[in-house]
Structure formats: structure tokens, C-alpha cells
Amino acid sequence: MKPWRAAIAALAAVILLSVYLWDLRRTETSAILAMQQDRVLFMVPGLVSEVAFHGDEGPVHVVRVDESDKWQMTSPSEIAANEIIIESYLENLRGARRHALVDHRTAEEVGLDNPRRTVSVTFADERTGEVRTRTLEFGSQPDELSKVYAWIREEGTIFTVSDWLYRQANKSFQDLRSTVAVPADITSATRLDIYLRRNSYTLSRPDSSSMEWMLTEEDRDPIPADRGMMDRLMANLGNARFFRIHDDVTTPTAQLGLAPPTLEIVADDETALSIGNRIGELEQFIAKSADGTIGDLPGSHVIDLFRSPAEWGTKRFSWIPRSEITEIHSVLGNTRFTLKRGDDGWFFREMPGVPVRQEAVTQFLEGVESFRGSQLLSATVAEEDRLRHGLHDESYKIRLVDGDGNEHGFHFGRIDTREAMTHVYRIQDGTLWSVPSRTQGLVYRYRSDFEERRVLPGLASRADHIEIITPHGKMSFQRTPAAWRVTMPGERPTLVPPSMMLDFLDAFEDMEIQAEMIANDQIPPEITFHFYEQDMDEPFLTAGVLMRSQSTGNTILRVKSDGEPVRAVEINAEQVGFMDDSLTKLLVGAKARAEQDRQ
């Protein structure tokens, strides 16, 4: 192609693109103008900086504070404005539509020469940024009573709007004043001092983002505050609004219960709210905000603060982190034992030779974390009242100790059978709680519950190859990456899912020793189980079924595990039954799959 032809083609492309973009902008502009013509006032609420209302009770002027969501009233008083009311009105105004255009009447004829209500809005144009003011004025009503004559004074076009928009424009000082009772930044406070006439307490946290509050009372060590109650309190304070505001208060503040206040909230060393008398039988209180505003406050915002300080504390009976607990002390009647944490796990201090079931300790500590009070019965328990609550020396007690010697724990008391509740004493702060009796199982343990009585812990995770020898032949089970390969007498090998095999291994591992006896090598076993680890030729466990008791149903196993002498152990009939059932399901499933393979 010759150079001059290429230049012409490029020029033509530029011209076509320019025409396309011009047409696109014209189309968008036309759409915007069409939408604007239908609206009473086309503006973006977030770009509005001032609003002036002139309604039945006189003018009110509000301005936005530093491009934020906060609004300030400048007249008739300089006070905070109600941003919720203002933002809601601006959204409604943006959506309001013009109904019929009125081109056959003058402003004087429809009452717009002396408007009944006006709303003046100052805003920045969304596209150009130009700041402009538009004044919406309302006149009389036409024969169609649901409509009102109106215009934008700067435009001069008369139209009708809904009488609802007319009613919404009647904003008074009382409508637009802020009803916020508590400073907005209270939700980021790190310390709340609560002063009641009879006592005081402090709720604090390390920083404004933390959800972990601490409760501090006089002459008591700090304890964690209840998370649920603190979440509710901060939400209630953040949403606290006066139900009614009293501007001309003539009653002395002492008679209102505000000098001194019944309750005072100090947030980060600044008084945030003072609570006075309750209003009759209503769930409302006389209250005074930080700026001196006095009004009626719904009780739901502050009623929790009148609780006993101890109720603000955690309902848990221990808050020592599980990983930091080094000792567990238990007392039940004449039985006492201590579990200590060592380098190799937990062990009995009094019986170091008795193995401890480590998972049982973990489950117990998890239960302690979940165990909590339902209702505070008393912040203190006098010595003479201990027996009345069932707190005697032989009742169940647990003490948990960390590496620094701090002790947490609980002491079970009497059971209220009618309410199905148990009295439980918290050791570290001396409080007494009622706890649903059904939750005792989380923490109630005997020493035997911690003893490792299984034939071989960890069996399920170690086993890679299993042989079962019966009078009818040998069965073999071999772990593969995705399944277990099963070989039975007279059958071709088949695969079974890991879940079927795991049920059998878990049931075998969970069998606990009821008693030990002298092993008799002369009695041949009825069935023998060999368990091998990966790439090992010798089994790490061999268990032979010697006999089953006709009276108890218990089974005697002869067991030989690696590094241990041969021993004979008695296994509970129920646990053997679980193992039998899981093995039967495994063999039936393997046989069914072998039948499918043959077909």
C-alpha cells in the first residue's frame, strides 16, 4: 500500500472513532438529562454539604461535617444533628418524581409566591464538581388532594409532587436534633469505669480492636469479662438514643437522680453518660449525655450495667490456656491424685509407673474449657455457709495449676434435683454458680478414666499389614495408597474402602484391659491376629483369642507386643462385641466385592 493511502486510512479510522465516542457521550448525556427531567431534584446524597428546611415551626439549617457522615445543626442552635434522619430524607428526595407539569398556572395562582414549606439543598455536581444550590418550594394543593404544587425556584418550572414528599419536608428542630445519648467513639474505648452508688467496677481491654475484656473490682484480682455480655453492651451503647429530650429542665438534678447519678459511665477518663431515676413503671431512665443533654433513655441500653459486678465476669471455671496447665489435682472422697505434665506427656505423680491415656487428658481439658456457670448464685460464700451449699471436703474438686503457680478450679456442691442444677464454687475468685447437672460429664472424671488400659495405643495408625489366622485358613489385609487389599481363603484379592478397615482397627485399639493374669503358652489360640508396620517382617503385636467366659462374656487374649513380655489379659465383653461387629462387616463387605469382581 502506498504511504498516502495508509495515511488516509488512518485518518478515516480516527474520524470514525471520534464520531463513535461523540455519539456515545451524547447518548449518555441524553439519558442522564431524561432521568433528571423526571426527578424532583437530581443529586447524589453523599455530595450534599448543606440543607435548610423551613417548615411549620420555622427554619432549621444543617451542614455536613468535613465530608463525613456526621451532620451539625447551625441554627436555631449549634448542636449535633440527626444524621440518620437527614441521610434518609436525602435518599427519599433523590428518588422523588415530578408528576404533572403545570404550564397554564402562575406561581401566584398555585401559592408559590408565598411557599408553605421550602427545602434548600447545596451539593456538588457529580460530573463537573460545580457546587450549586437548589430550593424546592411547596405551594397549594390542586383539586387532586394527593398532590401538591411545587417548583425548583432556580428553574421556574411548576409541577406537582406527592403530598407525602410535602409532609416529609416539614422538619423541625426537634426532628433534626441528634438523639444520640453516648459519644460515637465509645465503641472504640479501651476502658469503661462503671460507678454505681453502692460499688464500682472497671471493664478494660488492651486496644480498641481487641475483643478480650477484663473485669476489675476493688480488692479482687482481674478476671476475663464475659464475651457475650460485652458484645451486647458495646452494641447497646453504640445505639443508645434518647426517646425524648427535655430542653427546659426545671427540676433539680438531685431530684432527677443525677446528683449524684444512680449510675455513671466513664469511657477513657471522660464521662460518657449519667443515669438517674427510673421513670415510673416504664423501662426508661432519666439520663444526661456528655454534652449536658437530659432526656428519657430506653432501659434496654443500660439495664445490664445494674447487674452485680461479678456477673460481668466470665462464666468459665478456668481461663488458664490449655497449653500452660502443668498440674491437675483431683479430690473425690478419699481418692486423690495428681497429673503432671512432663517432657513425654502427662503422668501420675503418685504412680509414675501407671501409663496415662494422653487423649483422655486432652478431652478432659477441652471439657473444662466448655464447662461454665449458668447463673451467679453468690459473689462470696461465707465459711459457715459452705456446708449449706454442699461444699464439704469429700465433694468433687479440681485444681488446675500453671507454670507460675496460678491456680484455677472448681468445687462441686449440692444438687438441686427440682431444677436439675448443681452448685459449683469457683476457687480463684470465691464465686458460687449454678450449673446444669447434665453438663457435669464434661469434667467429672475418676482416676481410672485417665489410666491407659488399652492393649496397644496407636494400633490403628501403625498397622500397614494384618494377618488373621483361623481354623479355616489365613486372611490377609494390606494397606494401599487408596484402599485396603483383602485376601480371604479361596477368594481372589479384592479392595475395600479405608473406612471399613478403620472401623475394625479403631474397635481393636479401643479394647481395654480389665485384668491381667499369668500367660499360658500351652493353650492354642482359637484365632490369632498379627499386626505389621510398613516394610517390617515381624509383627509389632500378636493377639490370640484363648477363650470366652460363658458367665461374663469377657474374652481372654494372649498378647505379645514389641519389647514387652507375653501376657494374658481379660477384655470386656461389650468392647469385644464392637470389634467382632466391625470385623464381620469388613469380611461381609470384602466377600460381596469379591462376588462383584467375579461377575
Side-chain angles (χ1 to χ4, degrees):
M1 181 181 293
K2 295 182 179 181
W4 63 271
R5 290 183 177 176
I8 292 175
L11 180 60
V14 170
I15 293 173
L16 289 174
L17 179 61
S18 300
V19 170
Y20 169 75
L21 293 176
W22 174 81
D23 184 64
L24 180 63
R25 283 194 296 269
R26 187 183 64 173
T27 302
E28 291 177 346
T29 302
S30 298
I32 293 173
L33 290 174
M35 185 166 57
Q36 290 178 348
Q37 289 174 356
D38 183 46
R39 301 290 178 86
V40 171
L41 179 61
F42 190 81
M43 52 78 193
V44 176
L47 298 179
V48 175
S49 57
E50 298 182 38
V51 185
F53 296 89
H54 198 147
D56 297 351
E57 297 183 23
V60 184
H61 184 252
V62 295
V63 297
R64 188 186 296 273
V65 179
D66 299 329
E67 300 182 358
S68 68
D69 293 333
K70 305 300 179 185
W71 287 83
Q72 179 76 16
M73 190 182 298
T74 59
S75 68
S77 296
E78 293 188 3
I79 60 173
N82 191 323
E83 62 267 15
I84 296 176
I85 296 294
I86 296 170
E87 294 289 351
S88 176
Y89 175 78
L90 291 176
E91 286 290 347
N92 290 334
L93 180 57
R94 176 172 69 166
R97 298 184 180 279
R98 305 181 184 194
H99 290 267
L101 292 178
V102 181
D103 54 9
H104 57 284
R105 307 285 297 273
T106 65
E108 291 78 6
E109 290 176 324
V110 297
L112 287 171
D113 58 329
N114 184 24
R116 298 159 66 186
R117 292 171 188 167
T118 67
V119 179
S120 180
V121 182
T122 300
F123 58 95
D125 185 273
E126 183 180 18
R127 291 181 299 138
T128 66
E130 176 190 355
V131 177
R132 61 184 65 166
T133 299
R134 295 291 181 266
T135 304
L136 172 63
E137 297 181 333
F138 298 89
S140 59
Q141 280 189 302
D143 294 336
E144 189 178 359
L145 297 181
S146 62
K147 301 293 186 293
V148 176
Y149 291 115
W151 68 357
I152 300 297
R153 183 199 302 162
E154 293 78 5
E155 297 176 2
T157 301
I158 302 173
F159 48 85
T160 59
V161 296
S162 67
D163 64 344
W164 176 84
L165 184 64
Y166 167 72
R167 293 195 305 272
Q168 288 293 305
N170 189 31
K171 302 298 184 189
S172 66
F173 168 74
Q174 291 295 341
D175 294 330
L176 294 177
R177 74 182 305 174
S178 174
T179 58
V180 173
V182 179
D185 59 356
I186 195 167
T187 54
S188 60
T190 58
R191 178 186 174 102
L192 298 176
D193 292 297
I194 312 301
Y195 296 97
L196 296 139
R197 288 177 178 173
R198 63 183 182 277
N199 53 31
S200 64
Y201 57 97
T202 297
L203 300 162
S204 60
R205 56 180 171 176
D207 57 70
S208 59
S209 63
S210 174
M211 305 299 290
E212 303 300 326
W213 291 80
M214 296 295 291
L215 165 68
T216 304
E217 297 180 71
E218 188 177 0
D219 300 326
R220 285 178 179 261
D221 292 333
I223 67 172
D226 184 87
R227 176 75 173 272
M229 290 183 65
M230 287 306 306
D231 288 347
R232 186 169 67 238
L233 172 64
M234 298 308 285
N236 284 337
L237 292 179
N239 294 321
R241 300 288 188 276
F242 286 113
F243 177 74
R244 182 185 297 105
I245 292 176
H246 306 291
D247 286 316
D248 301 318
V249 179
T250 58
T251 305
T253 53
Q255 293 184 26
L256 297 175
L258 293 171
T262 304
L263 182 149
E264 186 176 43
I265 304 172
V266 176
D268 293 336
D269 299 324
E270 297 288 341
T271 299
L273 186 67
S274 300
I275 305 297
N277 295 334
R278 187 169 180 168
I279 302 174
E281 298 299 320
L282 301 176
E283 290 294 330
Q284 296 175 14
F285 292 90
I286 291 290
K288 183 170 73 171
S289 65
D291 63 4
T293 301
I294 295 177
D296 302 343
L297 185 72
S300 58
H301 295 302
V302 294
I303 195 67
D304 281 345
L305 293 169
F306 288 95
R307 292 174 177 265
S308 163
E311 291 187 70
W312 283 95
T314 179
K315 310 301 185 290
R316 291 178 290 157
F317 287 91
S318 172
W319 46 91
I320 299 177
R322 215 188 314 165
S323 60
E324 297 179 12
I325 296 173
T326 58
E327 296 182 14
I328 302 171
H329 299 265
S330 173
V331 175
L332 178 57
N334 295 324
T335 303
R336 299 168 183 262
F337 66 89
T338 299
L339 285 164
K340 296 196 68 173
R341 190 196 297 269
D343 294 337
D344 298 325
W346 293 89
F347 63 92
F348 288 109
R349 186 181 65 182
E350 301 86 355
M351 306 172 295
V354 177
V356 172
R357 186 167 181 170
Q358 303 298 318
E359 307 97 295
V361 181
T362 300
Q363 291 171 3
F364 168 74
L365 293 177
E366 289 174 349
V368 170
E369 289 182 346
S370 302
F371 187 58
R372 56 195 62 211
S374 175
Q375 180 181 357
L376 179 69
L377 298 177
S378 177
T380 58
V381 179
E383 190 63 33
E384 59 270 21
D385 291 333
R386 293 180 66 85
L387 288 179
R388 180 168 62 87
H389 293 294
L391 302 171
H392 51 79
D393 291 340
E394 296 182 353
S395 58
Y396 186 57
K397 290 188 282 291
I398 288 291
R399 287 189 302 115
L400 308 172
V401 184
D402 68 11
D404 295 327
N406 299 309
E407 292 190 5
H408 288 187
F410 47 87
H411 187 173
F412 276 26
R414 72 179 185 86
I415 298 176
D416 185 339
T417 55
R418 184 171 61 87
E419 300 291 339
M421 303 293 278
T422 301
H423 290 199
V424 182
Y425 177 79
R426 190 162 64 191
I427 292 172
Q428 55 268 36
D429 65 351
T431 52
L432 185 69
W433 298 81
S434 65
V435 177
S437 298
R438 56 183 170 78
T439 65
Q440 290 184 30
L442 292 169
V443 296
Y444 207 95
R445 297 289 190 277
Y446 296 96
R447 183 176 63 195
S448 59
D449 293 324
F450 294 108
E451 294 177 6
E452 181 55 89
R453 306 185 65 86
R454 291 175 294 177
V455 175
L456 189 68
L459 171 69
S461 61
R462 293 179 63 183
D464 182 73
H465 175 208
I466 304 165
E467 292 178 349
I468 303 177
I469 301 173
T470 73
H472 305 290
K474 182 176 73 172
M475 292 175 283
S476 175
F477 305 83
Q478 177 67 53
R479 189 194 297 266
T480 69
W484 282 76
R485 185 172 61 251
V486 181
T487 304
M488 295 188 293
E491 300 285 353
R492 294 177 59 186
T494 187
L495 296 176
V496 297
S499 59
M500 296 177 64
M501 197 69 201
L502 188 60
D503 288 344
F504 163 67
L505 289 172
D506 285 344
F508 205 106
E509 181 179 333
D510 287 341
M511 291 194 301
E512 297 183 351
I513 300 170
Q514 301 294 305
E516 292 197 37
M517 56 203 70
I518 298 174
N520 189 339
D521 292 338
Q522 305 303 314
I523 302 176
E526 299 174 6
I527 302 175
T528 302
F529 299 85
H530 296 295
F531 297 88
Y532 298 83
E533 287 186 289
Q534 187 175 10
D535 301 327
M536 298 297 291
D537 297 328
E538 295 296 324
F540 65 85
L541 174 68
T542 296
V545 178
L546 299 183
M547 60 174 293
R548 299 199 183 197
S549 170
Q550 297 296 322
S551 57
T552 64
N554 291 353
T555 295
I556 307 299
L557 296 181
R558 185 167 61 218
V559 178
K560 174 67 173 73
S561 56
D562 49 1
E564 298 289 337
V566 178
R567 52 186 178 149
V569 296
E570 181 179 350
I571 307 297
N572 177 273
E574 183 179 10
Q575 293 180 334
V576 173
F578 289 145
M579 188 273 291
D580 282 346
D581 290 343
S582 61
L583 179 58
T584 299
K585 291 178 182 178
L586 173 62
L587 297 178
V588 170
K591 191 172 183 62
R593 286 176 175 268
E595 290 287 346
Q596 292 176 359
D597 293 343
R598 277 200 296 269
Q599 295 175 4

